[in-house]
Amino acid sequence: MRAVSRIAGAALVVLLAALALPAALGAPTLRAAFGDLNAPRADGAAPPPARVAHDPAKPTAVVVVGDRGAVVSDTLAPYEVLATTGAFNVYAVAPSARPAPLTGGLDLVPDLTFAGLADLLGGAAPDVVVVPAMPDVGESTSKPVTDWLAGQAAGGALLLGVCNGSGVLASAGLLDGRDATAHRLRLDSFEDDYPAVGWVRGTRYVDDGDVITTAGILSGVDGTLRVVERLVGPEAAAQAAEVTGWRHYRRGEAASMPRAGVRPADAVVAFNSAFGWDRDRVGVLLTDGVGEIELASAFDAYGQSLAVRTVAVAPGVEPVRSRHGLTFAPRADPVAAGGLDRLVVPGAGAARRRAADRYAEADPVYLHREGGFPFDGVLRDLARTTDVATATWTARVLEYPTDHLSLSGSAWPWTRTLRPFGLAFLGVLAALGLIRAARGRRSVRSTPAAAPPPPRPRTRAAAAPRPPG
């Protein structure tokens, strides 16, 4: 019985050793991968926002971001869809004027603070408020946003919760008694946190009167087109879908979405996030006039993959204005950034005018020279430079249909996959070595001391008296 117990104990030690080394090295990398998504800028620079134009004859739509930031596609895709119609005054608003970090390291300078918007509208609520996912949903730091949202809802604003922006609305009590949806990866936890909401699966958006909520990330495009349908008309929505390259628009109804569970291939994100300590650091060159969705495609596709780190760069670290007037504050100069593995350039316009030719030594990649919806080019580049499994996972997280895309590249991140197994093997070897050494010491301690040899008997000749001389 004692022998069985010793064997079981040794097996447990070996198992723990096999897990300990991958966990010890993987956990910090995992935390860093997710931390990079919403990391604020370190220098505190805050360029002033540009002056905003306002047409009182048009309805006003705003996209709200918190001081802790928001998901980049949840923010920029609805903004561009609304702005491209020409039917709205569209602004980015926040509690304060400092740059808000969007996922992937893109800093958005709000057009207006909450107070500035109230002054502009004479205290009235805007017609539409778009609420993206925010990293501090349910935390005390989000209270300025949730309190403000409650006031806008009371003032008659149409609320659009994009992806886990539904959680922001729910935390403000604005979804109680309503049907709503959110990203499929958060629906279970939202059901536990906000049981007064009727959470719906399998649809890209839920229209509940004065509140519309959408499923994950790029489902926000569908929800925004629904807003355009209701406030401007279906023809305007169809035209906005065509201009932005969104081929999945369905007039007057929400497209269904398969209730996809976890797949074995989803393990790719664990390998990339926990064992990708050599992730590429990619500079994303900001250029004036770039489309908002073009920017979002670069920062969100690479960022959500957790296989690549991105940093916003621009010559002289000067602020950049997007196609429809948003202001962005880059974090580094392309030359002075240092440590960049690649330089990518979003924007079809930037590709046409070869805006990165001055950085020819960096071999810049123009992501949108082929046209189509901007995420197509980035997902193709991601598949080619990482692997197809990572690009496929990323598209699923973005909730972006890729049936029309041909992704080519390595099938799987084999190097990162083998790392935890190699570390586990080293841990097992170390454990076996320690067990063997411990058994050797125990064997020495348990061996009885050898008995002293018996005294040698005296021989008869030696014992007999010597005869007299």
Side-chain angles (χ1 to χ4, degrees):
M1 192 68 182
R2 187 176 299 173
V4 172
S5 178
R6 284 200 300 268
I7 292 172
L12 179 61
V13 169
V14 170
L15 175 62
L16 292 176
L19 298 175
L21 200 53
L25 294 179
T29 310
L30 180 68
R31 286 194 298 271
F34 282 97
D36 286 343
L37 281 178
N38 289 286
R41 62 186 303 130
D43 59 10
R51 292 175 59 88
V52 299
H54 182 73
D55 183 349
K58 294 180 179 179
T60 295
V62 300
V63 182
V64 60
V65 293
D67 285 335
R68 295 273 296 276
V71 170
V72 62
S73 293
D74 295 1
T75 305
L76 300 187
Y79 180 94
E80 179 166 350
V81 171
L82 292 167
T84 201
T85 67
F88 298 90
N89 301 301
V90 190
Y91 310 118
V93 300
S96 67
R98 63 176 177 266
L102 305 181
T103 45
L106 178 63
D107 295 310
L108 169 65
V109 181
D111 295 314
L112 296 163
T113 64
F114 292 163
L117 178 67
D119 290 342
L120 183 69
L121 300 182
D127 299 273
V128 179
V129 177
V130 179
V131 186
M134 299 179 190
D136 54 346
V137 58
E139 299 177 14
S140 59
T141 51
S142 67
K143 194 172 187 306
V145 171
T146 53
D147 287 350
W148 180 81
L149 286 172
Q152 308 317 300
L158 170 61
L159 304 178
L160 172 62
V162 178
C163 187
N164 297 329
S166 301
V168 179
L169 292 173
S171 69
L174 298 174
L175 297 183
D176 289 356
R178 295 178 177 274
D179 287 338
T181 192
H183 197 292
R184 61 183 175 83
L185 295 179
R186 289 296 299 275
L187 278 171
D188 288 343
S189 63
F190 282 170
E191 283 180 333
D192 293 336
D193 294 340
Y194 311 111
V197 182
W199 296 104
V200 179
R201 289 171 166 79
T203 183
R204 293 189 75 88
Y205 69 80
V206 171
D207 185 341
D208 196 329
D210 52 359
V211 178
I212 298 173
T213 54
T214 82
I217 306 183
L218 289 178
S219 292
V221 175
D222 299 281
T224 310
L225 291 170
R226 177 60 174 164
V227 170
V228 175
E229 280 183 345
R230 285 181 47 180
L231 299 188
V232 186
E235 290 76 17
Q239 184 177 10
E242 182 178 357
V243 170
T244 56
W246 186 253
R247 64 180 67 203
H248 311 289
Y249 170 61
R250 296 180 64 168
R251 180 170 176 164
E253 62 178 345
S256 61
M257 192 165 52
R259 301 186 187 186
V262 177
R263 303 174 183 176
D266 293 345
V268 69
V269 71
F271 295 118
N272 282 331
S273 57
F275 303 102
W277 47 72
D278 56 349
R279 292 180 299 150
D280 279 353
R281 185 168 180 257
V282 175
V284 181
L285 184 66
L286 309 187
T287 58
D288 284 319
V290 63
E292 291 81 11
I293 297 178
E294 291 172 336
L295 273 180
S297 69
F299 286 96
D300 226 3
Y302 294 126
Q304 296 291 346
S305 76
L306 298 174
V308 178
R309 293 174 294 164
T310 50
V311 57
V313 299
V317 201
E318 292 294 324
V320 169
R321 295 272 286 176
S322 68
R323 180 179 300 158
H324 297 101
L326 287 178
T327 302
F328 297 95
R331 296 191 179 185
D333 181 274
V335 175
L340 294 180
D341 296 288
R342 302 176 65 218
L343 181 66
V344 299
V345 189
R352 284 193 297 269
R353 64 179 185 270
R354 301 192 62 83
D357 277 3
R358 70 176 82 177
Y359 308 112
E361 69 282 357
D363 194 20
V365 175
Y366 292 98
L367 297 172
H368 300 122
R369 65 167 71 246
E370 296 180 35
F373 191 65
F375 280 78
D376 293 351
V378 185
L379 288 170
R380 282 192 292 262
D381 181 73
L382 186 63
R384 184 172 58 252
T385 56
T386 57
D387 54 87
V388 172
T390 294
T392 302
W393 151 264
T394 303
R396 289 188 68 220
V397 171
L398 294 168
E399 294 191 355
Y400 180 54
T402 56
D403 296 342
H404 63 289
L405 273 184
S406 176
L407 301 176
S408 61
S410 174
W412 187 265
W414 292 112
T415 299
R416 290 176 180 175
T417 302
L418 292 174
R419 284 173 179 168
F421 296 101
L423 292 170
F425 181 69
L426 291 176
V428 168
L429 289 181
L432 292 175
L434 292 174
I435 291 171
R436 183 174 181 182
R439 285 178 176 173
R441 289 194 297 270
R442 189 164 55 245
S443 175
V444 170
R445 287 196 302 268
S446 62
T447 301
R456 296 176 60 188
R458 299 174 68 184
T459 62
R460 183 177 299 272
R466 296 178 65 183

